[in-house]
């Protein structure tokens, strides 16, 4: 074996090893199923976002640049178009009554969508007489009431509709009461609030400040206000979810998982430039459904998601 061939072979082995290592799931606590792999379900989208699970385990998600909402059938693994003209919806979340809440930022609104008819009801159009900046992500607490983030991501489709300047006096987190009579701010000191998710008991809310590269933890009060702001981890996120053990899943460079103490316990690499959001799907809530740029993926899990 000549020297040049030997060097080339060594380089090829090193490259192959690097690729393999990049593709491996890092799991310190056994949260993924044995032999779990990241599986592409479908590609061909522009930018997928906002996965949300219904009672049947199906996952609805958005392709925001194309103004569409799709539905992934947990039983057949098929994806079908649910609705066109979706208000440029971004984040989605299901209420207990089966209706879907959508952060519809075409006109900076918050929508409620019937998952069977596809008809929408506009819940929020403004705050203190001005439009919102552009609702991004939502979480519905078990007792009712909706938390949503309102950062600013200027959209190309805002041309001719409105200014790309910030409408509100900052980028905040809001709460809409269950009876829809009260809308108020609950966090006003964040740089760029984005993903958020709460615990199944409704007592704790996690909010990612992607601009500051931090995720915060709050106590949720009965009236909807947030108290006891505490640093959860030194990482921001686009979207978020949580499992039955209290582990929090953040996105961006694949999916990074932190335990309830804020310590990193897993990383799931995704072969896309950006991983936007994540939720648990299927009837047993043991399939991690990932929206990442132009495609969506699944990973079989040992832990179960909460709904």
């Amino acid at each position: 074996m000549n020297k040049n061939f030997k060097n080339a072979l060594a380089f090829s082995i090193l490259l192959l090893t690097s690729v393999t290592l990049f593709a491996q799931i890092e799991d310190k606590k056994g949260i993924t199923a044995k032999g779990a792999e990241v599986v592409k379900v479908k590609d061909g989208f522009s930018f997928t976002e906002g996965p949300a699970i219904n009672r049947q385990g199906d996952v609805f998600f958005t392709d925001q640049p194309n103004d569409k909402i799709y539905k992934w059938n947990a039983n057949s693994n098929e994806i079908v178009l649910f609705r066109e003209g979706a208000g440029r919806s971004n984040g989605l979340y299901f209420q207990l009554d089966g209706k879907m809440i959508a952060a519809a930022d075409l006109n900076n609104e918050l929508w409620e969508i019937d998952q069977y008819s596809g008809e929408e009801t506009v819940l929020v159009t403004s705050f203190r007489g001005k439009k919102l900046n552009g609702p991004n992500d939502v979480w519905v607490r078990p007792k009712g009431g909706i938390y949503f983030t309102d950062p600013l991501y200027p959209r190309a489709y805002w041309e001719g509709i409105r200014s790309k300047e910030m409408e509100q006096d900052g980028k905040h987190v809001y709460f809409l009461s269950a009876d829809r009579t009260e809308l108020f701010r609950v966090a006003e000191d964040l740089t760029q609030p984005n993903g958020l998710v709460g615990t199944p008991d409704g007592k704790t809310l996690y909010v990612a400040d992607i601009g500051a590269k931090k995720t915060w933890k709050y106590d949720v009060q009965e009236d909807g206000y947030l108290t006891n702001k505490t640093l959860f981890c030194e990482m921001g996120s686009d979207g978020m979810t949580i499992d039955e053990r209290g582990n929090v899943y953040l996105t961006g460079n694949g999916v990074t998982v932190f335990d309830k103490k804020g310590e990193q316990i897993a990383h799931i690499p995704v072969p896309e430039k950006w991983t936007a959001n994540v939720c648990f799907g299927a009837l047993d809530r043991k399939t991690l459904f990932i929206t990442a740029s132009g495609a969506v993926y699944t990973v079989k899990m040992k832990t179960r998601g909460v709904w």
Side-chain angles (χ1 to χ4, degrees), residues 244-307:
E244 62 184 351
R245 299 182 188 177
N247 300 318
V248 178
Y249 296 64
L250 307 184
T251 62
N253 175 22
V255 180
T256 306
V257 188
F258 295 82
D259 65 16
K260 60 178 62 178
K261 295 180 181 178
E263 297 178 1
Q264 183 176 331
I265 60 170
H267 181 258
I268 301 172
V270 179
E272 300 287 345
K273 293 181 179 180
W274 184 255
T275 298
N277 217 324
V278 63
C279 80
F280 282 86
L283 195 58
D284 64 0
R285 310 295 193 266
K286 285 190 174 183
T287 298
L288 197 65
F289 190 93
I290 303 167
T291 58
S293 299
V296 291
Y297 296 80
T298 57
V299 180
K300 295 298 182 183
M301 304 294 292
K302 185 180 294 183
T303 55
R304 191 187 309 273
V306 296
W307 186 84

Side-chain angles (χ1 to χ4, degrees), residues 58-95:
D58 303 321
V59 174
F60 291 68
F61 65 94
T62 66
D63 185 2
Q64 190 179 37
N66 292 317
D67 200 15
K68 296 178 180 179
I69 299 177
Y70 290 88
K71 177 184 177 181
W72 171 72
N73 187 297
N75 293 319
S76 67
N77 200 38
E78 294 180 337
I79 291 175
V80 297
L81 179 65
F82 167 69
R83 172 175 169 148
E84 291 189 81
R88 300 283 184 175
S89 291
N90 194 61
L92 307 173
Y93 204 91
F94 276 94
Q95 300 177 126

Side-chain angles (χ1 to χ4, degrees), residues 18-300:
S18 299
V19 171
T20 302
L21 286 174
F22 175 77
Q24 284 183 336
I25 295 175
E26 301 172 12
D27 183 359
K28 299 177 182 178
K29 298 292 184 179
I31 63 173
T32 56
K34 185 177 180 180
E37 296 180 344
V38 178
V39 177
K40 182 187 290 185
V41 180
K42 187 176 178 62
D43 58 14
F45 306 103
S46 293
F47 191 84
T48 56
E49 250 287 9
I53 181 175
N54 66 8
R55 284 188 177 274
Q56 291 74 41
D58 303 321
V59 174
F60 291 68
F61 65 94
T62 66
D63 185 2
Q64 190 179 37
N66 292 317
D67 200 15
K68 296 178 180 179
I69 299 177
Y70 290 88
K71 177 184 177 181
W72 171 72
N73 187 297
N75 293 319
S76 67
N77 200 38
E78 294 180 337
I79 291 175
V80 297
L81 179 65
F82 167 69
R83 172 175 169 148
E84 291 189 81
R88 300 283 184 175
S89 291
N90 194 61
L92 307 173
Y93 204 91
F94 276 94
Q95 300 177 126
L96 291 177
D97 64 4
K99 291 184 179 179
M100 183 168 57
I101 302 301
D105 81 357
L106 176 62
N107 293 308
N108 298 6
E109 298 169 334
L110 195 69
W111 285 12
E112 179 182 81
I113 303 175
D114 188 292
Q115 66 171 305
Y116 302 107
S117 68
E119 295 180 0
E120 85 276 1
T121 300
V122 179
L123 301 179
V124 177
T125 60
S126 62
F127 180 75
R128 294 177 181 170
K130 293 183 178 181
K131 280 186 172 290
L132 296 164
N133 299 324
N136 184 271
D137 209 352
V138 296
W139 179 71
V140 182
R141 71 174 184 176
K143 291 183 178 180
I146 303 166
Y147 290 93
F148 64 93
T149 55
D150 186 46
L152 177 65
Y153 292 102
R155 309 296 191 184
Y157 48 77
W158 282 348
E159 291 290 349
I161 298 174
R162 69 168 188 81
S163 169
K164 291 185 180 180
E165 300 298 319
M166 190 160 56
E167 300 281 341
Q168 294 292 321
D169 61 4
K171 304 169 185 180
H172 309 305
V173 183
Y174 294 79
F175 178 75
L176 177 65
S177 62
D179 62 7
R180 312 297 193 241
T181 62
E182 294 184 273
L183 175 66
F184 50 86
R185 293 173 180 167
V186 292
E188 299 181 282
D189 59 351
L190 303 178
T191 304
Q192 185 84 341
N194 199 311
L196 76 172
V197 70
T199 53
D201 61 7
K203 294 182 179 180
T204 304
L205 181 69
Y206 296 91
V207 180
D209 188 344
I210 197 169
K213 299 180 180 180
K214 300 179 187 297
T215 295
W216 300 93
K217 178 180 177 181
Y218 298 85
D219 291 337
V220 178
Q221 302 304 304
E222 186 68 26
D223 58 8
Y225 282 97
L226 303 178
T227 60
N228 194 25
K229 178 185 178 185
T230 307
L231 181 64
F232 175 65
C233 68
E234 294 279 357
M235 178 180 169
S237 185
D238 195 340
M240 304 171 69
T241 195
I242 192 169
D243 68 23
E244 62 184 351
R245 299 182 188 177
N247 300 318
V248 178
Y249 296 64
L250 307 184
T251 62
N253 175 22
V255 180
T256 306
V257 188
F258 295 82
D259 65 16
K260 60 178 62 178
K261 295 180 181 178
E263 297 178 1
Q264 183 176 331
I265 60 170
H267 181 258
I268 301 172
V270 179
E272 300 287 345
K273 293 181 179 180
W274 184 255
T275 298
N277 217 324
V278 63
C279 80
F280 282 86
L283 195 58
D284 64 0
R285 310 295 193 266
K286 285 190 174 183
T287 298
L288 197 65
F289 190 93
I290 303 167
T291 58
S293 299
V296 291
Y297 296 80
T298 57
V299 180
K300 295 298 182 183

